[in-house]
């Protein structure tokens, strides 16, 4: 979908940019009350909100992996982070590059936090699972 066609009703798998994830794996439901998926988000702003992906972020992912060992852990990003902690996180979680909704009802969504809010709701609506903050 082009940017003008994406809105809050767009299924999340239509926001995933090609080449970064097997979208079929994202679409499947498991039939359990809460599908075994953990969703994290980072890098929706090009400057990462002034906070690069660091040790605390990695430890959040590692903790989820330790407690929810059989869950698929996904880290959604628009601007790919760099550094050793990001590389380590990508060894235990699946990075997913997305292009989130930036307009709703013809108006700009505005603040990057609101863009993240919309994506978070789309993920939980379409894929189920658990959303966790990285801090």
């Amino acid at each position: 979908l082009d940017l003008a066609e994406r809105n809050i009703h767009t299924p999340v798998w239509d926001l995933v940019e090609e080449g970064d994830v097997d979208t079929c794996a994202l679409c499947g439901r498991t039939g359990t009350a809460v599908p075994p998926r953990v969703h994290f988000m980072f890098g929706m702003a090009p400057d990462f909100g002034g906070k690069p992906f660091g040790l605390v972020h990695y430890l959040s992912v590692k903790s989820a992996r330790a407690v929810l060992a059989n869950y698929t852990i996904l880290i959604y990003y628009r601007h790919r982070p760099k550094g050793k902690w990001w590389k380590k996180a990508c060894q235990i979680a699946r990075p997913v590059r997305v292009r989130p909704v930036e307009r709703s009802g013809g108006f700009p969504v505005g603040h990057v936090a609101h863009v993240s809010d919309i994506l978070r709701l789309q993920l939980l609506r379409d894929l189920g699972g658990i959303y966790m903050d990285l801090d």
Side-chain angles (χ1 to χ4, degrees):
L1 296 173
D2 68 23
L3 292 175
E5 294 176 6
R6 291 180 297 121
N7 61 55
I8 61 172
H9 304 291
T10 301
V12 73
W13 44 85
D14 287 340
L15 304 177
V16 174
E17 294 192 340
E18 293 180 35
D20 290 303
V21 70
D22 175 6
T23 55
C24 293
L26 289 177
C27 299
R29 292 247 183 207
T30 63
T32 60
V34 177
R37 289 185 194 92
V38 176
H39 308 281
F40 287 107
M41 273 188 253
F42 192 83
M44 293 299 148
D47 67 351
F48 308 110
K51 301 173 189 169
F53 196 93
L55 174 62
V56 170
H57 303 111
Y58 167 71
L59 290 176
S60 295
V61 177
K62 185 175 180 182
S63 296
R65 173 56 65 216
V67 174
L68 303 167
N70 296 325
Y71 279 49
T72 300
I73 299 178
L74 303 138
I75 308 173
Y76 300 88
Y77 68 93
R78 177 159 186 201
H79 304 278
R80 188 175 191 91
K82 296 177 182 170
K84 77 175 185 178
W85 299 115
W86 173 253
K87 289 177 186 173
K88 288 178 75 74
C90 290
Q91 293 172 357
I92 58 174
R94 180 186 296 174
V96 181
R97 185 172 177 208
V98 295
R99 180 162 284 200
V101 171
E102 294 177 340
R103 298 183 69 77
S104 180
F107 297 96
V109 172
H111 198 275
V112 69
H114 301 152
V115 171
S116 295
D117 292 340
I118 291 170
L119 179 58
R120 179 179 309 115
L121 293 172
Q122 288 174 300
L123 289 167
L124 294 174
R125 176 195 67 198
D126 295 342
L127 304 176
I130 300 169
Y131 173 81
M132 293 183 177
D133 284 326
L134 279 168
D135 54 6

